[in-house]
Amino acid sequence: MQFKFDHSLMKRGRVIGLKKRIEKEILNFKEILNKGYNDEKSFVNLVSDKDLLNNVYKIAHKYKNFNSIIVVGIGGSNLGTIAILEAIKGKYYNEFSKTKIYFADTTDPDNLNSIIKLAKGKVLLNIVTKSGTTTETIANFEALFKKFKNIVITTDKGSKLWFFAKEKNFDLLEIPHNIGGRYSVFSNVSLFPLILTGINVRKLLNGALVMRNKCLNSNNPAFVSASLVYLSNKKILDNWYFSNDLESLGKWYRQLMAESIGKNKKGITPIISIGSTDLHSMFQLNLDGPKDKFTCFLSLKKFNSDFIVSNFTENKLVEKINNKSLSKIMNAILNGVKITYMKNKLPYVEIILDKKDEYNIGKYMMFKMIEIVYLASLFNVNAFDQPRVEEYKEETRKLL
Ligand code: PA5
């Protein structure tokens, strides 16, 4: 993974001040490293926890012959799983998999109905909820429970759901108490369903571990990225993913940034744009609208496949594309966009992933989680809570 940026974006004097604040965070990370899960920052320990890995493989092995898995969970309890699955297997992941996987997040009855119709053969319900009391998740669980009897519960050891699962003798997977939902992607939350769908989670964790160690040095990409976003003083972070299969990775990051930084009247609105698709929907605004965005372009060094454009139209319809590969055309589009941004003095950084494999996706996700912790420290907000989300939950409970 490469992280590139224009050095003029670094306002040198101010960066020194920011660095002092980040150094405290780095020290704190180092103090808790490999010491269990006693701190909210201990999500960095998930990637080197051998017991966790052995146990999740053991439980997954019991269900290896199942044909369909329905993951019931929302927010941090399913966004990371979908992101990894789509990045590795592509948007049409079920078409290419022996084991099918479906996600029931919101309480949309039509969505649930489609899932019930699609889930064939031996079906496993994986109920994932840290709190164990999320309305959407428990409502879907109750709706599905009568139809499917094989259940694995992933939750906090102290939750009511944990004790309910024990009573019913369901298989249980733990989410460590101090690991928040949006930082739980390398825990049982995602590892269990990913193993069942054939994702190599060892490689995923390995990439994350390499990146973790890199981001706990005093000069590291997570700090630079957080500082550039902070110093830009922009209200919107526009994440451009130049790969269709990475859209859900964008949604995972959107939650991470929105819930971690958006508080006390502070925050940056993360948005997702897909390259090159959204050049045909957003680009006019980006160039000619308010200059309120900082941009992060994410691209791939190499796609998994490629096609050569024939010369059937002999340059008559679009010049200069004949005999070129689609990846080359995509690259020219991306470079064209970057040049346009430069000419218009629109600030951006760039992330280039070597490829869409477990190792690189693991790296990206760890990079982004540590970046957000550093960014929260720069904004002086708590990266790990989301107190105002409770408001809608309370109102909903009253109405129900
Ligand atoms: O990051 C968070 O903690 C939240 O977004 C949660 O993931 C989300 O609200 C779902 O909560 P739970 O896993 O308790 O059902």
Side-chain angles (χ1 to χ4, degrees):
M1 194 193 94
Q2 290 174 56
F3 177 65
K4 289 186 174 174
F5 60 98
D6 175 352
H7 284 256
S8 69
L9 293 174
M10 280 287 217
K11 297 164 186 161
R12 293 220 170 270
R14 293 194 60 197
V15 168
I16 295 167
L18 300 185
K19 206 156 193 185
K20 282 199 184 118
R21 279 151 75 179
I22 297 301
E23 261 154 18
K24 271 195 259 161
E25 295 291 340
I26 294 179
L27 206 69
N28 197 225
F29 265 125
K30 284 186 172 159
E31 276 164 10
I32 59 155
L33 213 55
N34 300 324
K35 291 198 184 119
Y37 300 106
N38 300 320
D39 191 283
E40 287 149 323
K41 288 201 188 92
S42 328
F43 67 87
V44 293
N45 291 338
L46 293 164
V47 295
S48 47
D49 187 338
K50 297 269 177 299
D51 293 341
L52 164 76
L53 196 62
N54 290 339
N55 185 56
V56 68
Y57 263 112
K58 205 169 90 193
I59 307 272
H61 189 73
K62 282 173 69 174
Y63 300 97
K64 72 175 194 315
N65 294 325
F66 275 61
N67 308 92
S68 309
I69 305 149
I70 304 175
V71 176
V72 182
I74 196 165
S77 286
N78 82 350
L79 287 172
T81 313
I82 302 174
I84 296 167
L85 196 68
E86 281 191 15
I88 311 296
K89 295 200 166 201
K91 279 206 168 226
Y92 308 106
Y93 49 83
N94 274 342
E95 304 293 320
F96 302 111
S97 269
K98 198 166 87 25
T99 311
K100 314 291 179 202
I101 184 163
Y102 306 97
F103 294 93
D105 49 12
T106 183
T107 46
D108 174 340
D110 294 340
N111 184 50
L112 207 67
N113 190 38
S114 303
I115 291 176
I116 291 168
K117 282 188 185 151
L118 285 167
K120 301 257 161 52
K122 279 174 93 177
V123 179
L124 176 66
L125 288 188
N126 180 205
I127 313 300
V128 190
T129 164
K130 167 116 170 61
S131 60
T133 53
T134 297
T135 304
E136 290 92 332
T137 305
I138 300 302
N140 280 333
F141 177 28
E142 299 271 6
L144 290 166
F145 175 66
K146 291 191 193 88
K147 296 190 174 11
F148 307 107
K149 296 294 174 217
N150 292 292
I151 295 163
V152 173
I153 304 281
T154 311
T155 189
D156 189 304
K157 220 172 185 169
S159 77
K160 281 201 264 180
L161 181 61
W162 178 278
F163 295 107
F164 174 76
K166 274 208 159 290
E167 223 176 274
K168 297 275 174 197
N169 250 331
F170 297 148
D171 269 333
L172 265 163
L173 289 164
E174 184 187 349
I175 309 173
H177 184 66
N178 289 312
I179 305 298
R182 56 190 177 276
Y183 295 90
S184 69
V185 63
F186 297 127
S187 75
N188 286 320
V189 166
S190 297
L191 297 185
F192 178 69
L194 289 174
I195 290 171
L196 288 176
T197 48
I199 299 291
N200 188 333
V201 302
R202 286 183 204 281
K203 286 191 182 157
L204 180 84
L205 296 176
N206 211 5
L209 180 66
V210 168
M211 184 52 79
R212 174 192 84 178
N213 295 341
K214 198 169 177 173
C215 291
L216 301 190
N217 285 325
S218 61
N219 260 331
N220 71 75
F223 161 66
V224 178
S225 180
S227 306
L228 293 177
V229 172
Y230 181 75
L231 291 171
S232 75
N233 221 1
K234 300 287 186 196
K235 294 275 172 276
I236 296 171
L237 177 64
D238 192 5
N239 291 288
W240 275 88
Y241 294 86
F242 273 74
S243 160
N244 281 14
D245 295 333
L246 299 184
E247 186 169 358
S248 290
L249 198 61
K251 287 191 180 168
W252 169 82
Y253 179 65
R254 182 175 65 180
Q255 183 212 11
L256 183 67
M257 173 173 253
E259 284 193 345
S260 304
I261 311 290
K263 49 199 71 162
N264 307 339
K265 308 271 177 303
K266 298 175 192 171
I268 300 169
T269 303
I271 59 172
I272 305 157
S273 306
I274 299 301
S276 68
T277 317
D278 292 335
L279 294 173
H280 300 262
S281 91
M282 296 296 287
F283 202 61
Q284 166 64 32
L285 170 81
N286 293 354
L287 281 201
D288 218 13
K291 301 276 181 265
D292 53 0
K293 296 176 197 63
F294 187 77
T295 297
C296 178
F297 293 114
L298 186 138
S299 61
L300 300 168
K301 204 165 164 189
K302 202 173 174 339
F303 283 91
N304 294 338
S305 46
D306 214 348
F307 297 92
I308 301 292
V309 174
S310 72
N311 59 4
F312 172 61
T313 64
E314 296 161 345
N315 276 341
K316 281 185 189 131
L317 300 181
V318 175
E319 276 180 42
K320 297 187 179 169
I321 59 168
N322 297 160
N323 296 322
K324 302 216 166 95
S325 65
L326 288 185
S327 66
K328 194 166 185 167
I329 296 171
M330 183 70 124
N331 213 26
I333 295 172
L334 170 61
N335 286 332
V337 171
K338 285 192 294 185
I339 293 168
T340 317
Y341 267 55
M342 257 186 285
K343 283 186 175 164
N344 286 277
K345 298 194 170 29
L346 297 173
Y348 70 85
V349 293
E350 222 189 323
I351 296 172
I352 303 163
L353 293 186
D354 288 347
K355 57 200 274 227
K356 286 179 295 180
D357 62 2
E358 286 91 336
Y359 183 74
N360 282 286
I361 298 299
K363 272 185 159 179
Y364 174 82
M365 291 176 116
M366 182 58 92
F367 167 54
K368 286 288 154 183
M369 285 192 283
I370 298 181
E371 174 213 75
I372 289 294
V373 173
Y374 293 159
L375 190 59
S377 161
L378 299 180
F379 272 104
N380 213 2
V381 293
N382 180 346
F384 301 101
D385 65 0
Q386 60 285 332
R388 302 296 292 266
V389 180
E390 289 308 312
E391 277 179 37
Y392 99 87
K393 293 185 182 170
E394 217 164 279
E395 295 302 330
T396 305
R397 265 181 236 123
K398 277 188 223 161
L399 292 172
L400 286 169

